[in-house]
Amino acid sequence: MSKDVEVALVLSGGAARGLSHIGIYKALCEFNITPKFIAGTSAGAIVGALIAKGYSAEEISHIAQKTDIISLKTFNPSHLGLFKPKSIKNNLTKYLGNIKFEDLSIPLVISTTDIKRGVPVYIKQGPLIPALMASSAMPLIYKPVVLDNLLMVDGGVSDNFPVTVIDKNKYKIVGCNVNPLAHLENDLGYKDLVERCVLMAINKDVINKKELCQVFIEPPELAHYGLFQISKAEEIIQIGYQYTLSLKEQFIKSLMIKPS
């Protein structure tokens, strides 16, 4: 890639589908693309934090498949959510430590939602783990997180594709959305209906926002995977990797990477 080009990476939320970001990042590394800025939501924020910490794609893949950084395994009913993700917090702390945003190797911005005011909140400084927990606190599933006296839930509620926090005059933007919507012909069960409504809601502004990206990555095969299919992690990661490799010519044209 041309030394004059600096790339910013946008990583959407998407629960289990967010694991596809790992494969996307692996392909970017093979293109010799190192992001200089990362913005992420929910699962994208978690993967982005691991990248910003300095982990390789292979290391992040191992972490994601062997631990509960994106999972629903810890059941602990509460009046504001079915799960208290203690194991997720413990594993994030294990691999990221009790660090601040300022300690990361790559600048990172995380989107979350102030549920009482109904507005997005973008966090780029202070303790990292509480911000990650807030960004991935899916309503009705995980208990909200209190940060700076604000009641925070999943960033996907208000901004699942936080591309607008990036200075478009400074960076070429690679945007990664892991929530393609396929045309369905079969009848929908209750779970499928709920999941599709969630996907439609978080995708509402991606159509306009993707125009801000020099390269927009949205692997269509992910439409066949549910938000909570953690058991398919390896497949989901591989889909992101293979699809991004298929965009090599677009990367060469838009970001001036050197073909190999």
Side-chain angles (χ1 to χ4, degrees), residues 49 59 75 87 98 114 124 142 146 160 171 179 214 217 243:
E59 289 170 331
F75 182 75
S87 63
N98 292 306
D114 178 346
K124 59 182 180 180
Y142 290 134
V146 177
N160 199 51
Y171 298 103
N179 301 298
Q214 276 65 50
I217 303 171
Y243 183 74

Side-chain angles (χ1 to χ4, degrees), residues 158-174:
S158 57
D159 189 355
N160 199 51
F161 191 71
V163 66
T164 55
V165 303
I166 296 171
D167 184 350
K168 63 181 181 180
N169 295 315
K170 183 176 181 180
Y171 298 103
K172 298 286 188 179
I173 301 173
V174 175

Side-chain angles (χ1 to χ4, degrees), residues 28-237:
L28 293 182
C29 291
E30 292 183 8
F31 292 160
N32 197 30
I33 295 173
T34 302
K36 300 299 183 182
F37 188 98
I38 302 172
T41 299
S42 196
I46 291 173
V47 174
L50 291 166
I51 294 171
K53 173 70 172 174
Y55 284 103
S56 68
E58 289 75 14
E59 289 170 331
I60 299 172
S61 179
H62 177 79
I63 292 168
Q65 293 182 68
K66 300 299 182 182
T67 65
D68 299 348
I69 61 167
I70 303 172
S71 184
L72 291 176
K73 292 182 180 178
T74 306
F75 182 75
N76 192 345
S78 69
H79 71 291
L80 285 174
L82 296 177
F83 297 83
K84 292 181 179 179
K86 183 178 179 180
S87 63
I88 297 177
K89 181 178 181 179
N90 289 342
N91 279 309
L92 287 174
T93 303
K94 176 181 178 180
Y95 291 103
L96 292 169
N98 292 306
I99 65 172
K100 296 182 178 181
F101 282 80
E102 295 85 348
D103 300 320
L104 295 169
S105 301
I106 302 170
L108 174 70
V109 175
I110 289 174
S111 88
T112 186
T113 301
D114 178 346
I115 194 61
K116 289 188 174 181
R117 291 189 298 155
V119 297
V121 175
Y122 303 101
I123 306 174
K124 59 182 180 180
Q125 59 187 16
L128 178 62
I129 301 300
L132 290 173
M133 298 304 296
S135 183
S136 54
M138 192 177 296
L140 303 181
I141 295 178
Y142 290 134
K143 188 175 181 180
V145 175
V146 177
L147 283 179
D148 297 326
N149 296 316
L150 301 177
L151 193 65
M152 302 288 202
V153 298
D154 197 301
V157 172
S158 57
D159 189 355
N160 199 51
F161 191 71
V163 66
T164 55
V165 303
I166 296 171
D167 184 350
K168 63 181 181 180
N169 295 315
K170 183 176 181 180
Y171 298 103
K172 298 286 188 179
I173 301 173
V174 175
C176 311
N177 180 47
V178 297
N179 301 298
L181 276 172
H183 176 72
L184 300 181
E185 296 182 356
N186 298 329
D187 292 336
L188 292 174
Y190 178 76
K191 177 178 175 293
D192 296 327
L193 179 63
V194 171
E195 188 165 302
R196 190 160 180 84
C197 287
V198 170
L199 289 172
M200 290 179 67
I202 63 179
N203 268 333
K204 62 184 181 297
D205 59 354
V206 172
I207 293 177
N208 294 325
K209 285 184 174 181
K210 72 179 184 180
E211 301 302 325
L212 298 174
C213 304
Q214 276 65 50
V215 180
F216 180 72
I217 303 171
E218 187 180 72
E221 284 187 59
L222 292 176
H224 304 297
Y225 292 82
L227 292 173
F228 304 113
Q229 285 190 280
I230 301 296
S231 62
K232 302 291 186 179
E234 187 173 355
E235 292 178 27
I236 292 171
I237 292 169

